[in-house]
Amino acid sequence: MYDYDFFVIGAGSGGVRASRMAATYGAKVGLAEDYRVGGTCVIRGCVPKKLFVYASEYAAHFKDSAGFGWSEAEHSFDWKILKANKDTEIDRLEGLYGKNLDNHNVEVIKARGKMLDKHTIELTDASGSRTITADKILIATGAWPSFPDIPGIEHAISSNEVFEFEQLPKKITVVGGGYIAVEMAGIFNGLGVETSLLYRGEEILRGFDLEIRAKLREEMIKKGIDVRIHTNVDEIIPSGDEYLLKLSDGNETVTDCVMYATGRQANTSGIGLEEIGVELKDNGEIIVDKYYKSSVDNIFAVGDVIGGMQLTPIAIKEGAALTATQFNDTPTFVNYDHIPTAIFSQPPIGTVGLSEEDAREKYGDDLQVFRSEYKSMKFTLAGRDERSLIKLLVDGKTDKVIGAHMIGPDSAEIIQGIAIALKVGATKAQFDDTVAVHPSSAEEFVLMK
Ligand code: NDP
C-alpha cells in the first residue's frame, strides 16, 4: 500500500488540473510545491503580465481620447500602486486555487519533492525532510528562464524579476524576439520606460506568419521602441548604476537594466529523475509517450517540462487527459492541431493554423491567401497611426481554411472564435456565408474576397 494513489510534483497549471481531476475520479492525491500554488501562469506569467499590459495601454488610450472630444488631463503613473494591486490580485487567485484543491481533498504540501525511487518521494521544507510513497507520480515542474553563457550574464534579469520590481528602470534593454520579449517590450514602453529590443535573427517571432511578424516590428518601432534585428549582446559590463552592452554588430549601448527572454529550460535537474531511470531529452525535457507516460511506467509528466508548445491551456489539457487515462479508464491525449495562441504585444496578435510560409510548403500552388489591411475605426478619430492586418490561408483544393492570423486590437478575443471554425474544418465558402458583425474588426474575417 502506498501513502497516495497519485502524487504530483509542481502546482502549476498542469499539476493543479491533474491533481484536482484525479481526486474527482476518487484517487487519494497529494501535491508538493516549494513556492506558490499557481505556477508560472498565475504567479509570474500570463496573469500578472496581462494586468501589466492593461496598465501600459492607458498612455495611448489617454492620447486617443482627445480626438473624441476629451480634453487631456494631467496623467501620472505610479508603479507602486500597480505592483501592490497586482500582488493583491495574485494573492487572491492563489487563494482560490488553494481553496479549490482543498475542496477536492487534494493534500497540498509546501515542500520540494525529489524522487528517491519510482514510488518514493523525499519532501523537503525549512523544517527538514521526510518521505512519502505513491502509486502513480506526475512531474509537472514546468520550466525556468534560460540565459546564454556570455560574459556578465549574471547582471541580467528575466521576466520573473520584473514582477517584483520595486521601481521601474528609466531605460531597459530586452534581449530575445519571442513571446516574452515582445510582450515585455510593449509593457515597458507603454509605462514610459525607454525601451530597446535586441533580436539576433532576421525577424522577431520566428515560427509565426512572416507578414504578421514584420507588421509587429513596424508598429513597435512606430510606438517608440528601438527594435534592432541581427543584433545580440556579446558582453554585459557594469558601469556605475548602468550597464554597458557590447553588441554583436560592433556597437555599444548603455542601459539601466538588461532583461533576457531567450527561452525556457525544463525544470528537471536535482529532482532525482535520471537517477531512477526517467529518460530526458538533451535539453532536459522529459520524454513521454502520447499518454504522458515517461520511460518509468508509473511516472508521468505534463506541461512545460515535456516541451512542445509551452502554453497554459496545453498543460491544463494534458493534465486532464492524463488523469482521464489513468483514473477514469478513458485513454485520452491532446490533439495538438489547430492550437490558437495570442501574443499580448502592442498591437496584439492572434493566430491559429499554418503560417503562409508553412502553408506554401505544404500546399504549394493550391494555397490561396486572402489579406486585409485596414485602420481600426477607433483610430480614425483618435488619429493614431496604427494599422491592422488579417490573413486567411485556404487550401484551394478543398476550400478549407488552414490558417488565420490577425494583428490589431482585440486579436486575442477574436481568434478564439476563428479557432473553432478551423477546428471543425470550416471552408472559405462557409466563412463567406457567415453574416458579418458590423461594424467590427472581426467582420473582416468573413468579408475577404
Ligand atoms: P521563445 O522561445 O518564444 O523565444 C525565445 C527568443 O529568444 C527567440 O527569439 C530566440 O531567437 C531568442 N534566443 C534564444 N536563444 C538565444 C540566445 N542565446 N541569444 C539571443 N537570443 C536567443 O521564448 P520566451 O522566453 O519568449 O517564452 C517562453 C515560452 O513561454 C514561449 O515559447 C511561449 O510558449 C510561452 N509564453 C506564452 C505567452 C502567451 O501565450 N502569450 C506569453 C509568454 C510566454 P531565435 O528565434 O533566433 O531562436
Side-chain angles (χ1 to χ4, degrees), residues 40 45-46 49 143-150 159 175-183 197-208 213 231-233 259-265 304 308-313 340-345 349:
T40 299
C46 324
K49 178 274 307 287
W144 196 249
S146 70
F147 294 85
D149 186 15
I150 59 157
S159 55
V175 183
Y179 279 86
I180 296 180
V182 299
E183 291 183 342
L197 182 144
L198 309 181
Y199 174 55
R200 64 180 177 180
E202 178 86 28
E203 188 55 274
I204 55 174
L205 291 177
R206 189 161 59 86
F208 292 87
R213 297 159 63 192
T231 309
N232 211 344
V233 178
M259 194 205 94
Y260 268 72
T262 46
R264 299 168 73 83
Q265 166 97 33
D304 289 0
M309 291 179 91
Q310 296 176 320
L311 300 173
T312 293
T341 175
I343 303 167
F344 295 95
S345 47
I349 293 172

Side-chain angles (χ1 to χ4, degrees), residues 329-378:
D329 238 356
T330 316
T332 310
F333 53 86
V334 177
N335 176 350
Y336 295 95
D337 289 340
H338 298 118
I339 291 175
T341 175
I343 303 167
F344 295 95
S345 47
Q346 297 178 38
I349 293 172
T351 173
V352 57
L354 298 178
S355 66
E356 181 175 340
E357 296 66 46
D358 289 346
R360 179 83 55 207
E361 208 162 278
K362 188 161 175 200
Y363 294 92
D365 291 343
D366 290 329
L367 176 67
Q368 295 174 346
V369 180
F370 298 85
R371 63 190 299 291
S372 168
E373 194 173 346
Y374 59 94
K375 186 178 242 191
S376 282
M377 194 177 181
K378 185 175 171 190

Side-chain angles (χ1 to χ4, degrees), residues 223-258:
K223 287 179 194 297
I225 302 174
D226 171 24
V227 184
R228 302 192 209 173
I229 52 170
H230 294 303
T231 309
N232 211 344
V233 178
D234 286 343
E235 187 174 0
I236 304 171
I237 303 168
S239 155
D241 289 344
E242 300 175 319
Y243 298 97
L244 172 75
L245 308 183
K246 288 196 175 278
L247 305 182
S248 56
D249 59 7
N251 288 320
E252 293 181 347
T253 186
V254 173
T255 187
D256 294 341
C257 182
V258 195

